[in-house]
Amino acid sequence: DLANCVTVYEKDETGSYAIPIKAMACSCGLEEGSTPLGTFSTSDYYDWRLMVDNTYGQYAVRFVNRILFHSVPYVKDSADTLLTEEYNKLGEDASHGCVRLSVKDSKWIYDNCEIGTTMEVYEDENPGPLGKPYTIEVDVNSPYRGWDPTDPDENNPWKGHLPHFENVKKYLTSLDIEYE
């Protein structure tokens, strides 16, 4: 929670989830205690989900009560309505309690973590064994500002036009964006 980093583990030879395989920069709750601490299981999955503040999250996965993993918020349930200012907060506290991720990372959880996947939220400044990935800061004046640069959507205008490195806050959300 304090580190704003999600680390995914796979099973080792003893069946324990001990092998770190992926780290994702995220944004947890802005208010203390808004992202609950504890061990939870994923339950409901949504392509798009209306959030408590009337924004939308893409690839939302519930893990406790009203708290979900989901993309950075959008104005509408449309991939070209990203709230760029909120995207630029990835890696720091910013949400009402949910765990915000880039589209690429929220889609990874949506696609790879089946219903009932166990996850733990804990407070620690240490981001975990893989460290905390860097994030992109999108220029709010960019003509592509309504899109998450990591979104695999075929209509994403960032494809072929990676953000200029002078706009990089902390490099890339996931170091393996595959745009040509």
Side-chain angles (χ1 to χ4, degrees), residues 42-57:
T42 59
S43 59
D44 304 304
Y45 290 61
Y46 311 92
D47 291 339
W48 286 97
R49 178 72 179 167
L50 181 63
M51 300 290 132
V52 296
D53 61 356
N54 290 318
T55 61
Y56 287 84

Side-chain angles (χ1 to χ4, degrees), residues 30-43:
L30 191 56
E31 300 294 323
E32 186 174 335
S34 58
T35 302
L37 304 178
T39 302
F40 309 102
S41 296
T42 59
S43 59

Side-chain angles (χ1 to χ4, degrees), residues 113-135:
C113 297
E114 61 190 31
I115 291 174
T117 297
T118 301
M119 45 95 39
E120 181 182 0
V121 180
Y122 59 92
E123 263 185 351
D124 195 333
E125 290 183 16
N126 180 343
L130 300 178
K132 182 175 171 179
Y134 295 106
T135 58

Side-chain angles (χ1 to χ4, degrees), residues 29-91:
L30 191 56
E31 300 294 323
E32 186 174 335
S34 58
T35 302
L37 304 178
T39 302
F40 309 102
S41 296
T42 59
S43 59
D44 304 304
Y45 290 61
Y46 311 92
D47 291 339
W48 286 97
R49 178 72 179 167
L50 181 63
M51 300 290 132
V52 296
D53 61 356
N54 290 318
T55 61
Y56 287 84
Q58 191 174 10
Y59 301 111
V61 175
R62 184 179 314 280
F63 63 88
V64 60
N65 302 328
R66 62 175 186 81
I67 307 298
L68 305 101
F69 289 107
H70 62 76
S71 70
V72 170
Y74 289 78
V75 175
K76 300 186 295 189
D77 59 348
S78 177
D80 62 349
T81 64
L82 177 73
L83 290 170
T84 305
E85 297 84 0
E86 295 301 309
Y87 183 86
N88 289 342
K89 295 176 186 175
L90 270 175

Side-chain angles (χ1 to χ4, degrees), residues 7-11 16-22 108 122 127-130:
T7 303
V8 179
Y9 294 83
E10 70 179 11
K11 288 182 182 177
S16 298
Y17 286 94
I19 302 170
I21 61 165
K22 184 171 183 62
W108 191 94
Y122 59 92
L130 300 178

